[in-house]
Amino acid sequence: MKVASGYARNFLLPKRLAVVANESNKKIVEQERHAHVRKEAKLVDEAQDLSKLLTGVSVTIAQKAGEADQLFGSVPRKT
């Protein structure tokens, strides 16, 4: 993104909110983008593996119920 040189020089660069768009900085940003894409792909793979592990798993929570198998208005938390 292009901004006014004064805005970049007086605000963005001193606060390290931006860097000058030279070739070395462009390469660094591209490397960071690739690293982010790889990390996201790894997280997706881990989530899919976890999904496979949890397929078919059921959880049963036993709690007292009133007549007609209705739970009470408030179910206390057991510690």
Side-chain angles (χ1 to χ4, degrees):
M1 172 188 302
K2 290 190 175 194
V3 296
S5 62
Y7 179 62
R9 181 179 57 248
N10 296 324
F11 183 75
L12 296 175
L13 294 174
K15 292 188 181 247
R16 298 183 185 264
L17 297 174
V19 293
V20 177
N22 57 28
E23 288 304 315
S24 64
N25 286 340
K26 287 180 184 179
K27 287 180 184 177
I28 291 170
V29 168
E30 189 64 22
Q31 289 173 349
E32 290 175 354
R33 188 181 71 78
H34 284 298
H36 179 71
V37 168
R38 284 191 304 270
K39 183 177 178 183
E40 284 292 318
K42 181 180 176 185
L43 289 174
V44 167
D45 288 342
E46 289 174 357
Q48 289 173 342
D49 291 343
L50 184 59
S51 172
K52 290 175 186 175
L53 287 173
L54 293 177
T55 300
V57 173
S58 65
V59 177
T60 303
I61 300 173
Q63 184 64 40
K64 291 182 183 177
E67 295 178 11
D69 292 331
Q70 293 286 328
L71 289 178
F72 298 107
S74 164
V75 178
R77 182 182 206 186
K78 292 184 179 183
T79 56

